[in-house]
Amino acid sequence: MYERPKLQSLTPSTTPTQDADGLSPLVIRASNLDLTFQTNDGPVHALKDVNLEVNKGDFVSFIGPSGCGKTTFLRCIAGLETPTSGALSVNGMTPDDARRARAYGYVFQAAGLYPWRTIGGNIRLPLEIMGFSKAEMGERIKRVLNLVDLEGFEKKFPWQLSGGMQQRASIARALAFDADILLMDEPFGALDEIVRDHLNEQLLQLWARTEKTIAFVTHSIPEAVYLSTKIVVMSPRPGRISDVIESSLPRDRPLSIRDSAEFIAIANRVRDGLHAGHGQG
Amino acid sequence: MKSFFPVVTVVAAVLLIWIIAVVPMNMHLTADQAQRDGLAVSPDTPIARQDFSGLGLAVHNSHLIPLTYVNVRPRLPSPHQIAIELYDTVIDKKITSKRSLVYHGWVTLAPTLLGFAIGTLLGIMLAVGIVFSRVMDRSVMPWAIVSQTIPILALAPMIIVVMGAAGIQGILPKAVIAAYLSFFPVVVGMVKGLRSPEGMQLDLLRTYHSSNSQGFWKLRLPASTPYLFASLKIGISASLIGTIVAELPTGAKAGFGARMLVGDQYGQPILSWAALFAAAITAAALVGIIGMIERGTLRQMGMKPA
């Protein structure tokens, strides 16, 4: 099932820099990926013939209607689902080995903070599990709280925070153990648009500061276009990739970029991809 | 404090019904006694009075109504008679006296607490086994349910006799019966609580590559705390009932159960009722104490009661 990456020089450990001309190291590589769920109503073809390469430092969005397999694909990358056939590698390892090596942080749709732990305690959870020293835990909690703009909330309980702040805390929790990859499954899906805009802006700043590779599942076209360097348009039944768009927008993006002709052109291409997928399905 | 007025209202309504019911319930007894004491009663023979209901008799003999509240051996004691008996036996008597309800209360309370501790511990251990082992899930749970369908009144004397034959007497047999009743709610509540974390929370731990025991200590156990307290409140009152039931059929000389039985056997209903009320007040106090521990613990944990 697992296929060793063909170009050894492209493993992330060798070339930490990002080049625009395709020499960036591969972080995620999927080829001919298939996944069929066996359900009581018969088999469901969740992913069909998925091919994708994600470079280090990319911000990749997966967009598509419900049932297109975008979340399933993200869970495959995380090693939470196992593909039926095809090859998938994360940091040059199988997804399961990458999970064991704690290669990624995962942000779920709901913040899912433990109500009996403070914000600091929630961020400490992965650090406790991974066996960090006490001094290092405190230092890391301070650092990631600063990254998500939640200084001073360490001792607060989750119910004392708004939904947007809780989701930021869950992002901090995913950042705390310094994984290179951040997997985000519709993290802002349940938030209102004003909060979402604000968090999108913050996420871009965070991405710029940390140089992480981010895979981001969303329903929203503007969100996908605003955030991504690469937009993967998916369509349902069976779940597959219908278009991959390399964004021509600059990395430094104010919110106002959404009014530019270039942004609208990319958004239109995403919309066309979604429509085409629907037509075939 | 929010529940103060509703509770007082219900208590007042119950008291009112009770006070009214005392008259017809005790009317025949009162009329018989009044006749012996030379008072005018109509109709004037006990046989003829049998044709009347308590209420009917009260209508014909309204002058006897106050006397229905002061019977020495009433069919239904009036609330103030029980209050006086409780005052006498709880506060007036030395607690070393065999007639002190405090003494009898402790005789019942000690096995209740021991049994509750045993039952809770057993319940938690079984629940952990059930949650982590499919075999235990399939085998233990049905038996736990079956165990609660056996009438404890039938089982209690057997346990006492069997343990007595093995030379075990005193507090332990009663504690075993109390534990038998209290482990079940703890098992049910803890199984539900330990299974309460959703798929997403379990997935989150998988992304950290955490071990089963980390998942237990960091997620399942804290998540089950509100469920545990809900079960403990049921468990402690079941424990008290178990101990009293253990005292009833075995000729125990002390304890709430023994007092109830003595009152019944020697025709002193006020005594039985006082013991009953003392037991109810004890149960309420025990549940109240657990409720306070629950509030404190959950506040400490930043959670709200389930």
Side-chain angles (χ1 to χ4, degrees):
Chain A
M1 258 211 198
Y2 159 62
E3 184 185 297
R4 191 164 285 281
K6 287 187 184 98
L7 297 167
Q8 287 298 324
S9 62
L10 294 189
T11 48
S13 52
T14 49
T15 37
T17 52
Q18 304 141 12
D19 294 342
D21 52 25
L23 281 175
S24 305
L26 268 178
V27 173
I28 299 165
R29 180 196 172 105
S31 45
N32 306 319
L33 210 65
D34 258 68
L35 175 57
T36 308
F37 288 117
Q38 298 300 332
T39 70
N40 290 335
D41 301 330
V44 172
H45 209 161
L47 291 173
K48 183 176 185 283
D49 201 24
V50 169
N51 292 286
L52 187 72
E53 292 186 347
V54 176
N55 292 326
K56 182 166 172 49
D58 271 351
F59 196 127
V60 192
S61 282
F62 299 91
I63 188 167
S66 303
C68 72
K70 53 193 191 298
T71 293
T72 306
F73 184 49
L74 200 71
R75 289 175 62 86
C76 285
I77 297 170
L80 296 173
E81 307 282 355
T82 310
T84 318
S85 67
L88 178 61
S89 73
V90 177
N91 275 354
M93 293 177 269
T94 65
D96 209 47
D97 286 341
R99 179 175 69 82
R100 286 164 201 279
R102 287 136 178 178
Y104 63 85
Y106 202 109
V107 179
F108 291 87
Q109 189 165 10
L113 302 169
Y114 289 2
W116 57 86
R117 281 175 177 251
T118 59
I119 298 305
N122 270 286
I123 296 169
R124 199 182 311 113
L125 175 72
L127 303 177
E128 283 172 12
I129 288 171
M130 297 173 190
F132 283 85
S133 75
K134 212 164 189 165
E136 178 144 25
M137 284 190 209
E139 197 180 298
R140 279 168 182 264
I141 291 166
K142 289 251 159 6
R143 202 185 66 217
V144 291
L145 278 175
N146 177 33
L147 268 178
V148 299
D149 235 351
L150 280 178
E151 301 99 330
F153 288 91
E154 187 177 341
K155 300 233 155 59
K156 293 268 189 282
F157 279 104
W159 60 268
Q160 294 171 298
L161 270 63
S162 69
M165 289 162 97
Q166 288 187 23
Q167 196 53 275
R168 263 148 60 195
S170 93
I171 293 171
R173 180 178 61 184
L175 293 171
F177 50 97
D178 267 344
D180 304 333
I181 307 171
L182 199 52
L183 304 177
M184 309 179 86
D185 185 6
E186 291 189 51
F188 310 140
L191 304 175
D192 68 65
E193 202 157 337
I194 298 164
V195 176
R196 181 191 271 230
D197 277 353
H198 182 61
L199 289 183
N200 280 341
E201 219 177 350
Q202 280 193 321
L203 182 60
L204 272 189
Q205 288 163 7
L206 190 142
W207 171 64
R209 282 161 73 184
T210 57
E211 300 182 337
K212 295 207 185 290
T213 309
I214 299 182
F216 187 97
V217 167
T218 179
H219 267 122
S220 154
I221 296 174
E223 189 173 68
V225 177
Y226 177 66
L227 291 173
S228 318
T229 56
K230 189 196 283 255
I231 302 159
V232 178
V233 184
M234 298 183 74
S235 53
R237 282 176 295 277
R240 64 199 181 278
I241 293 175
S242 51
D243 196 6
V244 178
I245 302 161
E246 300 284 347
S247 177
S248 51
L249 295 172
R251 287 209 162 210
D252 189 20
R253 299 170 187 180
L255 271 176
S256 57
I257 204 168
R258 296 184 298 182
D259 299 323
S260 71
E262 206 177 353
F263 185 97
I264 291 163
I266 297 170
N268 280 336
R269 189 171 153 193
V270 174
R271 193 168 289 116
D272 288 346
L274 290 171
H275 276 299
H278 251 309
Q280 289 166 24
Chain B
M1 270 295 111
K2 262 180 287 178
S3 57
F4 182 75
F5 282 106
V7 167
V8 166
T9 309
V10 170
V11 169
V14 170
L15 271 178
L16 187 70
I17 294 168
W18 184 355
I19 288 168
I20 293 169
V22 167
V23 176
M25 287 292 283
N26 296 334
M27 201 61 214
H28 286 89
L29 285 170
T30 309
D32 294 351
Q33 185 62 43
Q35 198 166 37
R36 280 198 289 277
D37 293 346
L39 289 168
V41 180
S42 78
D44 56 6
T45 64
I47 312 258
R49 286 197 290 271
Q50 288 306 318
D51 293 336
F52 284 83
S53 67
L55 211 57
L57 210 55
V59 171
H60 285 281
N61 300 279
S62 53
H63 62 288
L64 296 180
I65 287 177
L67 295 178
T68 59
Y69 287 95
V70 291
N71 267 304
V72 182
R73 295 180 174 187
R75 197 189 271 172
L76 176 65
S78 100
H80 80 277
Q81 289 178 302
I82 295 167
I84 290 168
E85 172 75 11
L86 275 175
Y87 183 86
D88 268 1
T89 50
V90 173
I91 294 162
D92 257 11
K93 289 267 177 314
K94 278 200 187 129
I95 58 166
T96 49
S97 160
K98 288 273 189 280
R99 288 195 55 204
S100 162
L101 266 184
V102 179
Y103 159 74
H104 289 284
W106 173 247
V107 168
T108 299
L109 192 61
T112 298
L113 294 178
L114 180 63
F116 175 66
I118 297 171
T120 302
L121 216 64
L122 183 72
I124 291 174
M125 279 169 11
L126 284 177
V128 171
I130 285 168
V131 168
F132 281 97
S133 149
R134 274 181 77 85
V135 177
M136 276 190 77
D137 186 19
R138 298 251 173 102
S139 58
V140 174
M141 204 55 179
W143 286 109
I145 292 165
V146 165
S147 76
Q148 300 303 303
T149 65
I150 301 169
I152 189 67
L153 209 59
L155 199 63
M158 295 183 201
I159 294 174
I160 303 244
V161 167
V162 168
M163 288 184 80
I168 303 164
Q169 281 173 334
I171 187 175
L172 206 57
K174 289 202 269 181
V176 166
I177 292 159
Y180 184 88
L181 286 191
S182 63
F183 89 95
F184 185 68
V186 176
V187 170
V188 173
M190 275 305 274
V191 166
K192 197 157 191 271
L194 291 172
R195 283 185 178 151
S196 65
E198 309 158 22
M200 197 204 83
Q201 301 216 302
L202 298 170
D203 278 346
L204 180 70
L205 286 183
R206 279 181 70 196
T207 70
Y208 301 150
H209 188 221
S210 81
S211 68
N212 266 347
S213 75
Q214 284 170 330
F216 176 77
W217 292 109
K218 293 190 191 300
L219 174 60
R220 290 188 189 272
L221 196 64
S224 71
T225 313
Y227 296 83
L228 175 64
F229 276 110
S231 295
L232 291 184
K233 284 193 227 166
I234 304 168
I236 189 100
S237 45
S239 234
L240 186 72
I241 289 169
T243 308
I244 291 173
V245 165
E247 288 165 350
L248 281 179
T250 51
K253 290 185 184 66
F256 285 146
R259 286 304 271 180
M260 289 175 203
L261 212 60
V262 164
D264 264 2
Q265 287 168 344
Y266 296 94
Q268 291 180 300
I270 296 175
L271 213 139
S272 292
W273 280 80
L276 193 71
F277 268 80
I281 292 164
T282 307
L286 290 173
V287 172
I289 289 169
I290 293 188
M292 271 158 56
I293 298 172
E294 174 184 33
R295 269 195 298 281
T297 309
L298 292 187
R299 188 177 300 137
Q300 198 86 49
M301 290 173 78
M303 292 202 287
K304 296 177 177 106

